[in-house]
Amino acid sequence: MSDEIEAILDGITTAGRKQISEIRNTAKKQKSDIYARAESEANAQKARILSDGQTRLNRTRAVIEQQQVMKSLQLHADARQRLISKVLEQTQEKLSGVRSQASYKNILHTLISNAINALKLSLLHDQKIVLRFDKQDKTLVESIASSDLFSDVTIRFNIICRGGCIAESEDGLVQTYNTFDSRFQRALPLIQQNLSKYFEEIISSY
């Protein structure tokens, strides 16, 4: 009887050891699987973090580069505008000096002629012309007033300009501006456009 009990106990012990071994193996495998999944998730998370960081870095770099481009363009635009303003300022200074030149008499005569001819196209029959000048041109205008150009023309010295004249109908409804100032203002958009293009080519070459 004792032998049978011992056999039963041995069987139980062996079965227990087998179950314990199986439990240990299963636990070990589950532990490995858990570690593997944890490592995989950790690597995936790390990759996402690195990817997000790189994306933010790329975005930041792009913003900085764009800011630098805009700053460079603004610097070029400012430099171009300063050059244009300087040239226009010098041009107006030169226009102011034309009056003191010997050639101004012929220039003024041409400006008067052009103004009168342009105005005549809009005058009514027998309508007279009024010519307006800067008082600085009074002596010069009076010296050429005897020409046929001034027949039936009223002369007044009541404007301020760098040179030239304004021609108008006697009722003041039709006017032709032919002063240095007005001609300069009419040409200004084209001058600025050409200067801008010219200075842009110069600045871009550096």
Side-chain angles (χ1 to χ4, degrees):
M1 182 70 177
S2 60
D3 291 339
E4 292 178 355
I5 292 174
E6 287 180 3
I8 291 172
L9 291 173
D10 289 341
I12 292 173
T13 300
T14 301
R17 288 175 179 172
K18 184 178 180 180
Q19 290 178 354
I20 290 171
S21 177
E22 289 177 353
I23 290 172
R24 285 178 176 175
N25 290 336
T26 300
K28 185 177 182 180
K29 185 177 184 304
Q30 289 177 344
K31 180 180 178 181
S32 297
D33 291 343
I34 291 171
Y35 282 161
R37 286 197 298 272
E39 184 176 2
S40 177
E41 290 178 1
N43 289 334
Q45 182 68 15
K46 180 180 178 181
R48 284 195 296 271
I49 292 173
L50 291 175
S51 177
D52 292 343
Q54 186 63 44
T55 300
R56 287 193 293 271
L57 179 61
N58 292 339
R59 187 181 299 114
T60 301
R61 183 183 294 114
V63 170
I64 293 174
E65 289 177 351
Q66 182 65 24
Q67 289 174 342
Q68 292 301 316
V69 169
M70 295 301 295
K71 184 177 181 181
S72 176
L73 291 175
Q74 186 61 50
L75 288 174
H76 281 189
D78 291 343
R80 183 174 64 247
Q81 188 56 47
R82 284 195 299 271
L83 290 172
I84 292 173
S85 298
K86 186 63 176 179
V87 170
L88 294 178
E89 181 182 336
Q90 292 175 348
T91 300
Q92 293 188 72
E93 289 176 357
K94 289 183 178 180
L95 287 176
S96 299
V98 173
R99 181 179 273 126
S100 61
Q101 298 176 8
S103 60
Y104 179 57
K105 182 176 181 178
N106 290 333
I107 293 173
L108 182 58
H109 192 281
T110 300
L111 292 174
I112 295 170
S113 177
N114 291 341
I116 290 175
N117 291 333
L119 186 66
K120 282 182 177 179
L121 298 175
S122 303
L123 292 180
L124 299 176
H125 182 64
D126 292 334
Q127 196 170 22
K128 293 184 178 182
I129 295 175
V130 176
L131 288 177
R132 301 184 184 276
F133 298 91
D134 189 299
K135 63 181 180 180
Q136 294 184 69
D137 292 328
K138 184 173 182 179
T139 300
L140 189 58
V141 170
E142 290 176 346
S143 71
I144 58 177
S146 58
S147 66
D148 294 337
L149 189 64
F150 287 86
S151 59
D152 296 325
V153 171
T154 301
I155 299 175
R156 295 174 183 169
F157 299 96
N158 57 356
I159 63 172
I160 297 175
C161 65
R162 292 183 173 88
C165 67
I166 297 175
E168 64 182 23
S169 58
E170 57 186 340
D171 57 10
L173 296 178
V174 184
Q175 295 179 322
T176 299
Y177 287 79
N178 210 21
T179 63
F180 286 164
D181 308 74
S182 60
R183 292 172 72 92
F184 178 78
Q185 289 300 320
R186 288 196 294 270
L188 188 57
L190 182 59
I191 294 173
Q192 289 177 318
Q193 180 181 343
N194 291 337
L195 286 175
S196 179
K197 186 183 301 182
Y198 173 70
F199 287 128
E200 179 64 27
E201 293 174 355
I202 293 178
I203 293 173
S204 300
S205 65
Y206 286 97

